[in-house]
Amino acid sequence: QVQLVESGGGLVQAGGSLRLSCAASGIIASINTMGWYRQAPGKQRDLVATITSGGSTNYADSDSVKGRFTISRDNAKNTVYLQMNTLKPEDTAVYYCNYKSRFAYGTRDVWGQGTQVTVSS
């Protein structure tokens, strides 16, 4: 079993910054992908960014986060971070941490409980 605990969300003014953290515990596969997704009210959950245990990153295709958000991880702590700069009101959403790893019979896909990010104009 894998558990994810997110932290770092909150209320910030437009132009400000926040750093989200997500700590994984339990049986962590040496090869895994962790990432961040977000869901605004009334919208679907969308990819923000992912990072593999080897350090390869993938960001959402849209220009909505590129250049402003940076994903990183500390494998020794099994923790992934999302540094969010120059925040905009449209970044307001619940941010969810995700963990994926493969095992013999399929894929383990685990979600955190979510952390609210609210950006005021």
Side-chain angles (χ1 to χ4, degrees):
Q1 294 288 349
V2 174
Q3 297 82 39
L4 302 175
V5 177
E6 299 135 332
S7 60
L11 173 64
V12 65
Q13 288 189 331
S17 298
L18 282 175
R19 189 175 85 149
L20 306 183
S21 300
C22 173
S25 62
I27 302 174
I28 308 298
S30 58
I31 299 174
N32 63 72
T33 298
M34 295 184 70
W36 292 95
Y37 294 73
R38 66 184 181 183
Q39 187 167 19
K43 296 188 177 181
Q44 66 182 18
R45 189 174 297 185
D46 291 326
L47 168 72
V48 176
T50 62
I51 184 167
T52 68
S53 46
S56 296
T57 59
N58 177 53
Y59 290 87
D61 286 339
S62 70
D63 292 333
S64 60
V65 302
K66 285 182 180 178
R68 298 190 298 122
F69 291 8
T70 302
I71 191 168
S72 61
R73 65 187 291 165
D74 184 335
N75 286 336
K77 297 180 179 179
N78 292 319
T79 299
V80 64
Y81 305 96
L82 185 69
Q83 178 67 43
M84 304 185 293
N85 298 327
T86 319
L87 282 161
K88 304 175 181 179
E90 51 263 43
D91 294 318
T92 295
V94 178
Y95 284 70
Y96 294 92
C97 181
N98 178 259
Y99 166 98
K100 288 187 178 64
S101 66
R102 289 180 177 257
F103 62 103
Y105 303 104
T107 299
R108 181 163 285 113
D109 190 357
V110 181
W111 292 93
Q113 79 283 1
T115 185
Q116 177 70 46
V117 171
T118 302
V119 184
S120 63
S121 57

